[in-house]
Amino acid sequence: MPAATPADTRTARAGFDWWGEIKGLFWLLLAVLGFHSFIAKPFYIPSESMLPGLLVGDRLVVSKFAYGWSFVSPTIPDPVAITRSLVLREPVDSWSVQLPYIHGRIWGSLPERGDVVIVTPPGQSSDYIKRVIGLPGDTLAVRGGVVILNGRPVARGPLHYRDLPVDANATCDPVQYPGARQVRGDGTTICHLPIVTETLPNGRRYDTVDLEPDSPGDNYGPVTIPANHVFLMGDNRDRSADSRFALGGFERGLGGPVPYENIGGRAEFITFSVNGDATWNPLSWPRALRGGRAGTSLHPARTQ
């Protein structure tokens, strides 16, 4: 076959379909955003409010269809927020644009007690992850750290301890967890946390961290949960901004029971977890993975 002439090369270059490539990228982006909006999306755990079950650095899958869809479901990128975060290194609440409040859900349903859900606080754009404790019509109070549902204390097991690994993402800050950071005989550092297992009236059980006997959230209510609202709490009871605390401001809570329209989805399982040791060098990435967390279900066990 004869070699291509310069004229042939210019013709090939001139024939590159830039508009076709742009359209292809557009439809690919639209498909990804549609999947994130209506099927499932990844979620990153940025705080310790759901210890001991969820660690900073865990990556989750959140199903968007579990309770139907609402105004918080769509994933709409915010170019300004993304630029501020990636280029200017400024803190932002979210990379997405929040739609205005719209009443109701499409094919909506309420969560079950014990579900771990993603919630957007009313009037805000950031996402929290909490556990559903109270449902519409419930009367809920907290006394001495014990949750009381409809006049009956939630069942609690005996106090016991769990040792969590300490790393760059899970530092076991001595100010937040006094006396918990310990060094074993083999030289490894662990976070020795006091644990209480709760069992909800529907039989679903999970572990909570009970650090202090009389923290600000240990006494609350009673409140009656309105229709189409849920009461949410973090498992790290003394280090969680949730429905027990005022909306925004210093407390950065949820301001009481949350409208079910503000629930963005249900946490399903952990995909992988990182300890914070990764750098730009790809060789560091395998060492930054926490072993044994991938595939962990976030659906609480149920007693027989």
Side-chain angles (χ1 to χ4, degrees), residues 4-212:
T5 64
D8 294 333
T9 303
R10 285 195 299 271
T11 302
R13 289 175 180 170
F16 187 81
D17 187 3
W18 286 101
W19 179 238
E21 293 296 318
I22 292 172
K23 287 195 296 184
L25 290 174
F26 170 79
W27 289 114
L28 176 61
L29 177 62
L30 196 64
V32 170
L33 294 178
F35 187 86
H36 282 192
S37 298
F38 302 110
I39 307 299
K41 69 176 287 187
F43 187 81
Y44 167 75
I45 298 299
S47 76
E48 298 176 337
S49 71
M50 287 296 288
L51 286 176
L54 289 174
L55 308 178
V56 174
D58 285 349
R59 265 67 170 182
L60 321 177
V61 166
V62 174
S63 61
K64 303 300 286 289
F65 56 85
Y67 314 119
W69 296 274
S70 73
F71 76 101
V72 301
S73 298
T75 299
I76 306 172
D78 183 350
V80 175
I82 294 172
T83 301
R84 287 176 56 199
S85 176
L86 295 180
V87 178
L88 303 179
R89 301 294 182 179
E90 296 178 356
V92 297
D93 287 336
S94 173
W95 282 11
S96 300
V97 175
Q98 183 66 66
L99 293 178
Y101 176 82
I102 301 173
H103 178 70
R105 302 185 75 97
I106 299 174
W107 292 314
S109 62
L110 285 167
E112 186 179 356
R113 294 188 204 278
D115 282 356
V116 178
V117 301
I118 305 301
V119 59
T120 303
Q124 301 184 28
S125 58
S126 56
D127 289 330
Y128 288 20
I129 183 164
K130 304 295 176 187
R131 190 179 298 278
V132 177
I133 304 296
L135 297 176
D138 287 341
T139 297
L140 184 145
V142 184
R143 294 289 179 264
V146 178
V147 177
I148 301 172
L149 273 175
N150 301 317
R152 303 184 66 176
V154 168
R156 287 162 57 92
L159 180 70
H160 58 285
Y161 286 83
R162 184 187 298 182
D163 294 339
L164 298 181
V166 171
D167 53 41
N169 273 340
T171 61
C172 197
D173 181 3
V175 175
Q176 296 293 321
Y177 306 96
R181 187 178 175 119
Q182 301 176 7
V183 180
R184 288 175 170 168
D186 60 2
T188 59
T189 304
I190 53 93
C191 198
H192 190 63
L193 294 177
I195 304 295
V196 173
T197 301
E198 283 187 354
T199 303
L200 293 171
N202 61 355
R204 302 183 90 184
R205 63 184 178 187
Y206 47 86
D207 287 341
T208 67
V209 178
D210 190 5
L211 291 169
E212 302 170 11

